[in-house]
């Protein structure tokens, strides 16, 4: 089931948007996924200062590696 993780992520985003409180949420959510990029290369470029926006996003929020299922 290659799309199992994607379906789960979409379901969680949908549920997060269904708040019981009708007042607007004070924050925003950004999900950024890069398919086919080596996370070690991104880490190296961030440490060299070549990806300052990625560094800012990591500092201001949360980041992590996706753990995929083996087919």
């Amino acid at each position: 089931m290659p799309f199992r993780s994607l379906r789960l992520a979409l379901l969680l985003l949908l549920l997060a948007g269904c708040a019981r409180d009708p007042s607007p949420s004070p924050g925003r959510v950004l999900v950024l996924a890069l398919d086919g990029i080596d996370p070690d290369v991104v880490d190296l470029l961030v440490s060299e200062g070549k990806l300052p926006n990625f560094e800012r996003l990591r500092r201001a929020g949360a980041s992590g590696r996706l753990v995929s299922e083996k087919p």
Side-chain angles (χ1 to χ4, degrees):
M1 295 186 186
F3 297 106
R4 184 173 161 192
S5 298
L6 177 62
R7 286 185 288 183
L8 179 61
L10 290 174
L11 177 64
L12 289 174
L13 285 173
L14 179 65
L15 290 175
C18 298
R20 292 184 187 258
D21 185 11
S23 63
S25 174
R28 295 182 186 179
V29 174
L30 170 70
V31 177
L32 178 65
L34 302 172
D35 187 27
I37 191 166
D38 185 358
D40 293 328
V41 172
V42 173
D43 292 340
L44 176 65
L45 293 174
V46 166
S47 69
E48 291 177 353
K50 294 181 179 178
L51 296 175
N53 292 325
F54 274 68
E55 183 179 7
R56 184 177 50 84
L57 285 171
R58 285 182 175 178
R59 275 187 282 125
S63 67
R65 294 182 182 204
L66 175 66
V67 179
S68 299
E69 295 181 11
K70 298 202 180 213

